[in-house]
Amino acid sequence: MKRVPSQASRARKLVLAIWALAGLSFAAVINDVKVVTQEGEPLSSELVTANIKSLPGTIFSPATLSADIQRLYKTGYLTDIEAAVDTVGEDAVRLTFTVVPVPRVADILFEGNDQLSKRFLQRRITTRPGELLNRRQVTQDTSKIRSLYEGKGYHGTEVTSYERAVAGTGDVTVVWQVVEQPRVKVRKVHFVGNTVFSTRKLRRSVQTRRTWWGIFFPAGFFDTDKFETDKLGLGAIYTSRGYLDFRLEDVKAAYSDNGKWVTLTIVLSEGQP
């Protein structure tokens, strides 16, 4: 797995650069700016020069250089940046930016996904082959995959991601590893705090409930998407009776020892009509 420089390490590099440059004359003119790609596909120098103010013909300033480096990081195209300053004569300097570009996504893979297909998962995440790697996006996609499993009743499923370098290129394959858990069925739904409506009526108003045939057949699974709809439905029932202050205070989930059953306790605050 490729290591990504932290914000702290980047900040230290900036501080060290400023300390090293403190002795230079502030009247020194920049006569040349070079861009060197340390690894991966060579980066166009125009991408760097279009985002910096330390350009040929300008007066060199450590503060400006520091701001330039921060601005380059914010473009999202670079994972590491180092700047070297060499004196050229008495009143001129040459800047050399050594950069590591963000790799391109060559492919995406899923491992351990027996219950949800690659096609199903791939259509619901935003990371795409051929695009530049966006690690924040990969993190969001990891959470999305986990939510998809929970929505289908596979609660406790673990999802992690890593990058696999593609030999001979600067590209990477993004791999999601899935450790699936058994699908959970609803054993019982309790309501606490209900006085306006009976527990029987509330249970009949929601889709999340125990089904007797679910004991023997693949039915009655806990679906978080349906449960979110149920919560809205409970609010609508109370609102129709004039209980505008109704709130769903809490939902407690207790899982069986084998992880295959869940008992839900829904705590209500009915308010006043």
Side-chain angles (χ1 to χ4, degrees):
M1 190 179 298
K2 187 175 292 186
R3 186 172 180 178
V4 182
S6 66
Q7 291 292 340
S9 67
R10 293 171 180 173
R12 285 194 295 270
K13 288 178 181 177
L14 290 175
V15 172
L16 289 173
I18 293 172
W19 283 350
L21 299 171
L24 287 174
S25 169
F26 282 90
V29 176
I30 300 172
N31 75 344
D32 190 20
V33 175
K34 291 185 175 181
V35 178
V36 177
T37 303
Q38 191 170 16
E39 59 183 76
E41 183 179 344
L43 186 74
S44 169
S45 60
E46 284 77 11
L47 176 63
V48 172
T49 56
N51 288 280
I52 63 174
K53 295 183 178 179
S54 301
L55 296 170
T58 63
I59 301 298
F60 172 76
S61 164
T64 301
L65 178 59
S66 175
D68 287 340
I69 294 175
Q70 294 285 18
R71 197 179 302 110
L72 287 170
Y73 274 124
K74 289 179 181 179
T75 65
Y77 293 112
L78 303 169
T79 62
D80 197 21
I81 306 166
E82 293 184 5
V85 183
D86 299 308
T87 56
V88 182
E90 294 184 358
D91 299 317
V93 295
R94 177 177 60 247
L95 297 184
T96 301
F97 290 91
T98 302
V99 299
V100 178
V102 171
R104 194 170 294 277
V105 178
D107 196 8
I108 60 176
L109 299 176
F110 301 92
E111 298 176 345
N113 57 309
D114 296 328
Q115 302 302 324
L116 301 183
S117 69
K118 175 181 178 180
R119 182 179 181 184
F120 176 85
L121 296 173
Q122 192 168 359
R123 292 176 65 178
R124 286 161 177 80
I125 61 175
T126 53
T127 301
R128 294 284 182 267
E131 297 181 353
L132 291 177
L133 176 66
N134 185 325
R135 291 188 174 92
R136 180 178 299 178
Q137 194 175 71
V138 170
T139 300
Q140 293 172 347
D141 285 340
T142 301
S143 298
K144 176 66 175 177
I145 294 169
R146 192 178 296 115
S147 297
L148 289 170
Y149 270 94
E150 290 181 353
K152 296 294 183 181
Y154 299 97
H155 296 270
T157 292
E158 300 176 7
V159 184
T160 56
S161 68
Y162 69 93
E163 299 161 23
R164 183 186 298 165
V166 178
T169 72
D171 299 344
V172 296
T173 295
V174 180
V175 184
W176 279 277
Q177 288 182 316
V178 181
V179 180
E180 297 177 334
Q181 297 300 316
R183 204 171 184 186
V184 179
K185 292 185 178 182
V186 178
R187 171 166 284 171
K188 190 171 289 187
V189 178
H190 297 295
F191 291 92
V192 176
N194 56 302
T195 59
V196 179
F197 299 105
S198 68
T199 296
R200 178 184 177 87
K201 179 174 178 60
L202 293 178
R203 281 178 179 162
R204 293 176 119 186
S205 70
V206 297
Q207 302 177 74
T208 303
R209 66 179 82 165
R210 177 173 181 168
T211 57
W212 292 106
W213 54 88
I215 299 175
F216 308 102
F217 301 100
F221 294 110
F222 180 37
D223 187 320
T224 54
D225 290 336
K226 287 183 179 179
F227 187 57
E228 288 301 316
T229 302
D230 287 339
K231 290 193 285 187
L232 295 174
L234 289 171
I237 291 173
Y238 275 90
T239 300
S240 68
R241 282 285 189 93
Y243 288 82
L244 304 181
D245 296 330
F246 169 81
R247 294 193 313 276
L248 198 156
E249 292 282 1
D250 192 16
V251 177
K252 300 176 182 178
Y255 293 90
S256 62
D257 291 339
N258 62 9
K260 294 183 178 181
W261 295 89
V262 63
T263 297
L264 299 173
T265 301
I266 303 173
V267 183
L268 309 177
S269 174
E270 295 179 321
Q272 299 295 324

